């Protein structure tokens, strides 16, 4: 039997099998290499080059240490997009987070009529309870949503100062959002008026802690102006703006520019408010001011949509009619224009009808001149008595029957305006009303011009000369923090307050000094001060600390007993820890035994001082305590922000 053909066939099959296996192995290696290259390239493009890729057959292995969970997930997802996810074996590890790096602490505090919300992360040393307790004065009766978390890391250096300042701001501002960071405090708030806004800014600026950036955004609602008025007068004394209204800051700028072009000098105050009769108010005012500028003398009055242009006495009627006609054609349809050209008065016609009221701040008002006969005149007299008071009204008027129409209305409108002044004079004649005087309200002149235009009508001829006197302004006349310092320093330079040995009682001599301090402090309620008690080093340190605190408390209570509101004062005892002179001499110990009043800002650190030495014996002689004011530097980093906020309003 011939076996050769069978052997050849078997050899052929064996060779084919070996070749197939080799081809399969080669194909698998090729697939492995291509898969590894493709995945490595994709990971590199995604910034995930830290991942190592290898293959074993059709399985793909991912090895390496990912910086975080998100990065590991991205690497696995990217690889799964290249090869079948079932082929991937995930050996990725996650790097251990660095627990030595403190997180960024911050606290958002939102206060409104519905309650207070606290959200953020604070150091464990601050604590959630501390935050809530710090605002306990404003949390009574309102809901507090506490979502504050803590982390056991050291607080940044300026964190406590920023925190104290932010908590003070939250207490001061009823509608506010306060965000506290370690080195910055951001405050957004809404005030009820421009005056309140100015008070908020002044208080927060004075309290700003060192090393902390402060960002203020305090807005005030725009007032409703009734009527929405403007009055511009051009006479022999020049051109002046008596009252000005605008609906937007941009409109105010346009009106002010037009007034300056017409000859108004100095600062012009144009109140931005609500109630404008048309969005084209600024354009109408600009056109009317341009017309007034063409007159030698005259008055332009806007009262809502009523416009009155009074021309120059003796001016050509044709020329005046031309100007009025041109302006009437240019004004928006909503406005109604009235042109008045005064007739030339003869010398004999002047002075027949005259009423004069003189207001003195000490004695009251004196009324002279003519009033209507009968019930109308008596109603004017009753109005004067009701306005100024019976004991402060000196009435010496004459009742006549031939007074101009509307005399009683003009008289009462003038008296009401006069009553708003500190002192002044009202002169009422046949065709004019003149009011002059002084006031402590910087906005009163504008208010009175708007009020008279509303009560007498936009065509009424009246003249105002109301001067602002800062000395009469109850806010502007308040002493500054530095002036409060100087006044109390003047007292302590004359004499010292003395405590009896070992006593914390205010004796007669100390009481006399407190009497003088008590006369100063009511005008310094806006200045936060600390009453600091200090001793020399004689006696035990703990005893001296307690003694200094008790004496500081005694001074505070002594001022309270004298009717002084002490909400802006705090008492703090420092014992012997802050000497200002050597304790080795009697003169030095006498200087160290003192009471200091110092300006206090939110978050301010205790006054610096050298460490005092220890002594064994308590002081035996009477101790003299001197009131000493140590001014603290007043920060101005937020001055520009405050000025910008003022300009915006």
């Amino acid at each position: 039997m011939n076996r050769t053909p069978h052997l050849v066939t078997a050899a052929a099959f064996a060779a084919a099998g070996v070749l197939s296996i080799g081809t399969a192995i080669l194909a698998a290696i090729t697939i492995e290499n291509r898969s590894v290259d493709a995945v490595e390239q994709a990971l590199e493009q995604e910034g995930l080059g830290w991942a190592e890729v290898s293959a074993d057959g059709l399985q793909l292995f991912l090895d390496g240490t990912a910086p975080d969970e998100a990065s590991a997930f991205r690497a696995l997802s990217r690889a799964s997009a290249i090869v079948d996810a079932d082929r991937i074996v995930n050996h990725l590890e996650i790097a251990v987070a660095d627990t030595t790096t403190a997180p960024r602490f911050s606290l958002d505090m939102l206060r409104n009529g519905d309650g207070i919300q606290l959200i953020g992360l604070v150091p464990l040393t601050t604590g959630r309870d501390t935050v809530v307790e710090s605002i306990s004065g404003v949390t009574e009766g309102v809901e507090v949503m506490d979502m504050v978390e803590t982390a056991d890391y050291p607080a940044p250096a300026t964190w406590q100062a920023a925190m104290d300042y932010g908590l003070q701001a939250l207490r001061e501002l009823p509608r506010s959002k306060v965000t506290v960071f370690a080195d910055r405090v951001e405050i957004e708030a809404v005030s009820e008026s421009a005056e309140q806004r100015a008070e908020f800014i002044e208080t927060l600026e004075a309290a700003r802690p060192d090393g902390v950036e402060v960002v203020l955004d305090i807005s005030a609602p725009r007032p409703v102006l009734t009527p929405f008025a403007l009055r511009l007068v051009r006479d022999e004394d020049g051109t002046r703006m008596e009252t000005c209204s605008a609906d937007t800051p941009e409109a105010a700028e346009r009106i002010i520019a037009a007034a300056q072009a017409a000859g108004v000098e100095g600062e012009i105050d144009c109140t931005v408010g609500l109630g404008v009769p048309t969005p084209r108010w600024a354009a109408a005012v600009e056109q009317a001011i341009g017309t007034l500028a063409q007159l030698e003398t005259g008055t332009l009055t806007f009262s809502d949509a009523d416009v009155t242009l009074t021309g120059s006495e003796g001016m050509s009627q044709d020329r005046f009619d031309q100007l009025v006609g041109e302006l009437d054609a240019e004004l928006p349809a909503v406005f109604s224009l009235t042109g008045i050209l005064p007739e030339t008065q003869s010398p004999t016609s002047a002075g027949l009808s005259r009423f004069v009221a003189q207001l003195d701040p000490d004695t009251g008002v004196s009324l002279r001149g003519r009033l209507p006969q009968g019930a109308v005149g008596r109603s004017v007299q009753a109005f004067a008595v009701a306005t100024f008071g019976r004991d402060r009204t000196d009435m010496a008027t004459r009742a006549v029957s031939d007074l101009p129409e509307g005399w009683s209305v003009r008289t009462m409108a003038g008296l009401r305006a006069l009553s708003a002044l500190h002192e002044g004079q009202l002169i009422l004649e046949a065709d004019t009303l003149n009011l002059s005087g002084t006031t402590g309200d910087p906005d009163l002149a504008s208010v009175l011009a708007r009020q008279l235009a509303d009560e007498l009508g936009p065509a009424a001829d009246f003249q105002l000369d109301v001067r602002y006197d800062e000395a009469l302004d109850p806010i502007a006349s308040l002493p500054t923090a530095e002036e409060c310092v100087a006044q109390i320093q003047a007292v302590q330079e004359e004499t010292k307050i003395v405590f009896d040995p070992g006593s914390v009682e205010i004796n007669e001599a100390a009481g006399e000094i407190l009497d003088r301090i008590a006369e100063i402090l009511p005008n310094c309620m806006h200045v936060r001060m600390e009453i600091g008690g200090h001793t020399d080093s004689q006696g035990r340190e703990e005893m001296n600390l307690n003694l200094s605190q008790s004496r500081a408390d005694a001074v505070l209570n002594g001022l309270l007993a004298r009717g002084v509101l002490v909400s802006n004062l705090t008492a703090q005892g420092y014992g012997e820890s802050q000497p200002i002179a050597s304790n080795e001499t009697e003169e030095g110990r006498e200087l160290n035994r003192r009471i200091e009043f110092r300006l206090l800002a939110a978050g301010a650190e205790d006054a610096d001082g050298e460490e005092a030495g220890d002594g064994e014996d308590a002081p035996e002689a009477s101790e003299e305590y001197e009131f000493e004011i140590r001014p603290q530097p007043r920060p101005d980093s937020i001055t520009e922000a405050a000025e910008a906020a003022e300009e915006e309003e």
Side-chain angles (χ1 to χ4, degrees):
M1 185 177 186
N2 189 356
R3 298 177 180 269
T4 301
H6 293 287
L7 293 174
V8 172
T9 301
F13 275 109
V18 172
L19 182 60
S20 297
I21 294 173
T23 302
I25 294 173
L26 181 61
I29 294 174
T30 302
I31 292 173
E32 288 180 5
N33 293 337
R34 288 179 178 177
S35 297
V36 170
D37 292 342
V39 172
E40 285 182 340
Q41 183 177 2
L43 294 177
E44 194 68 38
Q45 290 175 350
E46 294 290 332
L48 305 170
W50 46 265
E52 300 176 359
V53 185
S54 60
D56 184 3
L58 295 180
Q59 287 187 318
L60 195 72
F61 295 89
L62 290 181
D63 295 279
T65 302
D68 49 51
E69 288 279 1
S71 299
F73 179 76
R74 287 176 56 209
L76 182 60
S77 299
R78 193 69 185 94
S80 299
I82 304 299
V83 300
D84 190 348
D86 293 337
R87 295 170 51 196
I88 299 175
V89 179
N90 183 9
H91 289 166
L92 295 177
E93 297 180 353
I94 309 299
V96 178
D98 184 5
T99 58
T100 62
T101 303
R104 179 172 172 79
F105 294 115
S106 67
L107 179 63
D108 284 323
M109 299 180 287
L110 178 64
R111 180 184 175 191
N112 54 35
D114 297 329
I116 299 176
Q117 298 179 17
L118 306 174
I119 307 172
L121 179 68
V122 302
L124 184 61
T125 54
T126 300
R128 301 168 57 181
D129 294 340
T130 302
V131 176
V132 176
E133 291 173 1
S134 298
I135 58 173
S136 58
V138 297
T139 58
E140 184 175 353
V142 301
E143 181 181 356
V144 178
M145 183 180 296
D146 180 7
M147 292 182 286
V148 179
E149 301 292 339
T150 60
D152 191 8
Y153 289 91
T158 56
W159 169 259
Q160 193 58 49
M163 191 70 188
D164 291 343
Y165 180 78
L167 290 170
Q168 180 194 356
L170 191 73
R171 291 191 295 267
E172 296 280 351
L173 307 174
R175 292 179 292 170
S176 60
K177 177 187 177 185
V178 180
T179 302
V180 178
F181 300 97
D183 56 355
R184 187 172 80 257
V185 178
E186 299 174 356
I187 301 172
E188 299 178 33
V190 178
S191 62
E192 295 182 357
S193 64
E195 292 76 13
Q196 188 184 61
R197 174 182 176 275
E199 293 175 3
F200 284 160
I201 290 177
E202 181 180 4
T203 299
L204 294 173
E205 182 178 356
R208 174 196 174 278
D210 293 335
V212 177
E213 179 186 1
V214 174
V215 180
L216 287 179
D217 182 9
I218 300 178
S219 59
R222 293 179 180 176
V224 177
L225 304 179
T226 305
F228 212 83
L230 179 139
R231 182 176 169 87
L232 192 65
V233 178
R234 190 175 176 89
D235 56 22
E236 60 275 6
D237 295 328
T239 305
R240 63 185 180 277
M241 182 78 79
E242 291 188 345
T243 188
C244 178
S245 305
D247 54 328
T248 65
E250 294 75 18
E253 292 178 1
R254 291 175 59 183
I255 293 172
I256 290 173
Q260 291 172 335
V264 178
E265 298 179 351
E267 184 177 354
I268 301 175
D269 183 20
C270 196
T271 304
V272 178
L274 305 176
V276 65
T278 172
R280 298 185 60 189
W281 172 267
V285 170
E286 285 176 320
Q287 293 165 346
I289 291 177
T291 301
L292 179 67
Q294 300 180 53
L295 304 177
E296 290 186 11
T297 60
T299 303
L300 173 66
T301 304
F302 278 74
S303 181
D304 290 328
D306 295 322
V307 185
T308 302
L309 179 66
T310 303
S312 307
E313 185 175 321
M315 181 181 181
S316 165
Q317 185 69 56
D318 291 341
R319 174 58 177 160
F320 182 70
D321 290 344
Q322 178 186 352
L323 292 175
V324 171
E326 292 174 350
L327 177 59
D328 193 26
E330 293 174 348
L331 289 175
V334 68
F335 290 99
S336 175
L337 174 63
T338 300
I340 300 176
L341 186 60
E343 296 181 1
T344 303
Q345 299 290 326
S346 64
T348 58
S349 65
L352 295 179
S353 301
R354 184 179 176 89
F355 173 85
V356 178
Q358 189 79 35
L359 176 63
D360 183 274
D362 298 323
T363 61
V365 65
S366 61
L367 308 181
R368 304 291 185 269
R370 300 185 172 191
L371 289 178
Q373 289 180 337
V376 175
R378 290 193 296 273
S379 67
V380 174
Q381 292 176 332
F383 178 82
V385 171
T387 302
F388 297 97
R390 184 174 299 278
D391 295 338
R392 290 177 55 83
T393 303
D394 177 17
M395 192 88 63
T397 58
R398 177 186 175 189
V400 298
S401 59
D402 57 346
L403 292 172
E405 183 180 356
W407 187 265
S408 60
V409 174
R410 295 168 61 207
T411 302
M412 287 189 284
L415 288 175
R416 190 165 84 124
L418 179 66
S419 68
L421 301 177
H422 175 72
E423 59 84 22
Q425 183 183 62
L426 168 68
I427 300 177
L428 183 65
E429 296 182 323
D431 299 315
T432 62
L433 182 154
N434 291 276
L435 180 67
S436 60
T438 58
T439 177
D441 183 350
D443 301 321
L444 184 61
S446 177
V447 171
L448 292 181
R450 186 180 293 110
Q451 174 183 307
L452 289 172
D454 183 43
E455 295 179 345
L456 303 180
D461 183 10
F462 61 87
Q463 304 294 326
L464 292 181
D465 182 16
V466 177
R467 301 172 300 280
Y468 168 69
D469 186 350
E470 184 175 323
L472 303 175
D473 191 333
I475 296 178
S477 60
L478 288 176
T480 64
E482 291 74 18
E483 289 171 340
C484 289
V485 166
Q487 292 176 28
I488 301 179
Q489 278 182 331
V491 172
Q492 62 93 18
E493 286 175 357
E494 295 180 9
T495 185
K496 297 178 180 179
I497 184 170
V498 177
F499 282 98
D500 295 329
S503 172
V504 295
E505 299 295 328
I506 300 294
N507 57 28
E508 183 177 355
E512 293 178 357
I513 300 176
L514 289 187
D515 289 341
R516 297 177 62 185
I517 298 292
E519 294 176 358
I520 297 172
L521 289 177
N523 291 327
C524 297
M525 284 293 298
H526 57 295
V527 181
R528 295 189 64 239
M529 287 185 282
E530 177 189 81
I531 304 173
H534 302 267
T535 69
D536 59 27
S537 61
Q538 296 185 4
R540 298 192 311 276
E541 182 177 352
E542 182 179 359
M543 182 197 71
N544 287 334
L545 181 62
N546 293 334
L547 184 64
S548 66
Q549 181 65 57
S550 297
R551 288 178 171 172
D553 289 336
V555 172
L556 182 67
N557 293 331
L559 293 172
L560 182 62
R562 286 161 174 77
V564 177
L565 297 178
V566 296
S567 58
N568 62 318
L569 302 178
T570 59
Q572 179 65 51
Y574 294 101
E576 61 190 63
S577 64
Q578 298 181 10
I580 58 174
S582 172
N583 278 304
E584 300 301 321
T585 65
E586 179 54 38
E587 292 79 5
R589 289 191 293 272
E590 180 180 344
L591 290 174
N592 290 333
R593 299 191 296 266
R594 68 196 190 279
I595 290 284
E596 287 183 352
F597 276 49
R598 72 181 182 102
L599 300 182
L600 194 61
E605 300 294 334
D606 294 338
D608 294 332
E610 299 175 0
E611 292 294 326
D614 294 332
E616 297 297 332
D617 300 323
E620 297 179 357
S622 295
E623 296 180 355
E624 293 182 343
Y625 280 75
E626 175 184 0
F627 281 98
E628 177 179 348
I629 306 296
R630 289 189 169 185
Q632 304 296 306
R634 186 166 184 170
D636 59 2
S637 66
I638 63 173
T639 300
E640 295 181 0
E643 290 177 350
E646 290 284 359
E647 291 174 359
E648 180 180 355
E649 288 302 318

